[in-house]
Amino acid sequence: MSTNTTPEIVLPHLVGVDEAARILGVSKSLLNRDRRTGEAGNVPCIRIAGRALYSPSQLIGWAEAKAQTGIAEAVPRAPEPPAKRGRGRPRKMA
């Protein structure tokens, strides 16, 4: 007789934005912006069913790597959008 055993799948422990922000010591809004713009240096994130989830071990590894490269490293920002122009005829200055 042969025993048919399936390999055990080990899922990583994942946390939400609240817990990830607490681990890194930053605000939730910074992590939310980082997912859109990369403002904080592209914090490693996993998206499942529309939710952003973070692996605590990856967060710690990312933070340690950032600490070694230095915080003074400039993060490129998106250019400012041009100023909005008024519509219609300009007003007469009195």
Side-chain angles (χ1 to χ4, degrees):
M1 287 189 113
S2 80
T3 15
N4 193 4
T5 60
T6 58
E8 186 175 327
I9 298 173
V10 178
L11 296 175
H13 174 68
L14 300 174
V15 296
V17 177
D18 294 338
E19 185 68 14
R22 190 190 66 73
I23 290 169
L24 292 175
V26 298
S27 67
K28 293 185 296 185
S29 61
L30 178 66
L31 291 179
N32 292 332
R33 273 195 317 272
D34 180 70
R35 283 195 313 277
R36 289 190 313 272
T37 64
E39 179 180 327
N42 294 319
V43 178
C45 168
I46 301 166
R47 284 210 167 257
I48 298 176
R51 289 188 60 203
L53 299 172
Y54 299 86
S55 166
S57 60
Q58 282 185 343
L59 290 175
I60 293 167
W62 175 85
E64 287 172 349
K66 281 297 194 184
Q68 290 174 359
T69 60
I71 296 174
E73 172 182 311
V75 176
R77 290 185 170 244
E80 291 289 324
K84 291 195 176 202
R85 296 177 55 193
R87 293 182 168 232
R89 186 177 175 137
R91 294 184 179 197
K92 199 176 209 181
M93 300 301 272

